[in-house]
Amino acid sequence: MTITPLPLHAEFLLLAHDPETGKALVDGTPLKAALAGAALIELGLQEAVRLEGEGRDARLVATGADVSPELVEVLARADGHAPKKAVARMGGAESYTDRATRLREATWDRLESERLVRRDEGKVLGLFPVTRRIQTTTARATLVDTLRSAVLGSEPPGIRTVGLVSVAQASGVLAKVLPEIDKKHLKARAAEIGEGSWGGDAVAKAVADMQAALMAAVMVPVIVSAGSS
């Protein structure tokens, strides 16, 4: 039986939350920007969007490929825009209707339908209702092992793992899930992985180029959040 991998934004959402309590490992602003970045990379992996142009002229362009329901709005908001603006239009200052929260909830619903999480209703301070998702499988542990192998290994990981390493590092999640590894080594190795050579794999090279531009955009809200804490 062939097991279809989870989309990158779903993998990131699992990683970014404590599997037992459902609490996020990083603040809301970096989490939203990183989730938007992960979704955009997933669109690249599916060849639903490509990066055209270079430098300041680079734009994300839709290819016309079909995408899953939770990515329809992401694709529409990204088409024709620079990577930084595409992230902002989904998970940043230009997303006035909190589209990243819609993406997050739609992704949680997908994970719940696949029985990877269950809904847990509770209250904060006994007053304010809150909904969290408790993870019910070892999927997250497998993802953490994949990240650990990529960071500690000498072989270049696949392009999907490269994307997960990059978005986890840009959001601050990588250090949270691999606390036993020195942060300087994590940062250096993540950069090395992101700059890997893709040889003759045109799709992987295209995704890597798009990913580099997107992660620069994701890093902005992370730095702002850290500076204000």
Side-chain angles (χ1 to χ4, degrees), residues 153-166:
S154 57
E155 295 297 319
I159 184 60
R160 181 170 289 278
T161 300
V162 170
L164 192 58
V165 169
S166 295

Side-chain angles (χ1 to χ4, degrees), residues 14-19 23-27 31 140 172-173 176-177:
L14 290 177
L15 279 174
H17 291 80
D18 184 285
K23 292 182 179 180
L25 302 183
V26 294
D27 292 337
L31 182 61
R140 183 180 185 273
V173 167
K176 299 286 187 180
V177 300

Side-chain angles (χ1 to χ4, degrees), residues 113-128:
S113 71
E114 296 182 17
R115 299 184 179 181
L116 295 176
V117 302
R118 63 174 174 82
R119 187 181 299 258
D120 181 68
E121 307 286 350
K123 290 186 177 181
V124 177
L125 302 176
L127 297 172
F128 308 104

